[in-house]
Amino acid sequence: MASVGPSTTSTQPALPSGPAVFKTIPYAFILPEIVCGTWVWILVAATSVSLPLLQGWVMYVSLTSCLISLLLLLSYLLGFHRNSENWKVLDSLYHGATAILYMSAAVLQANATINSEFGVNAPLNYQLNSAASFFAFVTAFLYILHAFSIYYQ
């Protein structure tokens, strides 16, 4: 007689640990998120910040997201998740919220880029701000990809 109760085996794929993190989607997006976010932070810091409120938010979002993503990457590499489903929820919520924050930071950085076109040291600051805007939008896109690709595993 076959049992009709719930199955004890999980059909969900195991969460990666160690080097497998870099080969598994969406977790492979974490390292590019950190690298691109670090470039945003470096490029904004290299400009003469003419709009401290706008670019302060960009610096806050990029630095905080970079540090939290680094901690998340280390926790996956060291296997702190112990294959718990709660980590998928945490990962999804973190990357979804960060995608929204990064999109707002990218738009503000684009505004700072437009405003720096004719300011002091215009060519250099404009180029640095343009590069920071580019990396901010790329990073926001990576966070969006990460947040949504968790649902398609």
Side-chain angles (χ1 to χ4, degrees):
M1 182 176 219
S3 103
V4 185
S7 173
T8 58
T9 60
S10 175
T11 59
Q12 296 290 329
L15 293 172
S17 293
V21 170
F22 300 114
K23 300 175 187 173
T24 309
I25 299 291
Y27 309 103
F29 291 132
I30 295 177
L31 192 58
E33 291 164 0
I34 293 170
V35 171
C36 289
T38 303
W39 273 111
V40 172
W41 178 55
I42 291 169
L43 289 166
V44 172
T47 65
S48 63
V49 177
S50 59
L51 301 164
L53 189 60
L54 300 181
Q55 291 181 304
W57 176 250
V58 175
M59 292 285 283
Y60 172 75
V61 169
S62 63
L63 185 59
T64 305
S65 302
C66 182
L67 292 176
I68 294 173
S69 292
L70 184 62
L71 289 174
L72 194 61
L73 176 64
L74 288 175
S75 66
Y76 279 121
L77 287 173
L78 299 175
F80 289 155
H81 54 76
R82 296 189 182 156
N83 213 21
S84 172
E85 288 296 315
N86 295 335
W87 278 84
K88 283 187 177 180
V89 174
L90 172 78
D91 193 90
S92 177
L93 289 175
Y94 165 69
H95 282 90
T98 305
I100 294 169
L101 294 176
Y102 236 109
M103 188 55 74
S104 72
V107 169
L108 291 175
Q109 180 57 37
N111 185 17
T113 301
I114 292 168
N115 289 332
S116 72
E117 189 172 6
F118 300 110
V120 180
N121 282 338
L124 178 63
N125 283 331
Y126 181 73
Q127 291 167 354
L128 290 171
N129 280 323
S130 296
S133 296
F134 171 77
F135 279 109
F137 279 107
V138 168
T139 307
F141 181 67
L142 287 169
Y143 277 106
I144 291 168
L145 278 177
H146 189 132
F148 283 110
S149 62
I150 289 174
Y151 297 109
Y152 296 109
Q153 285 186 321

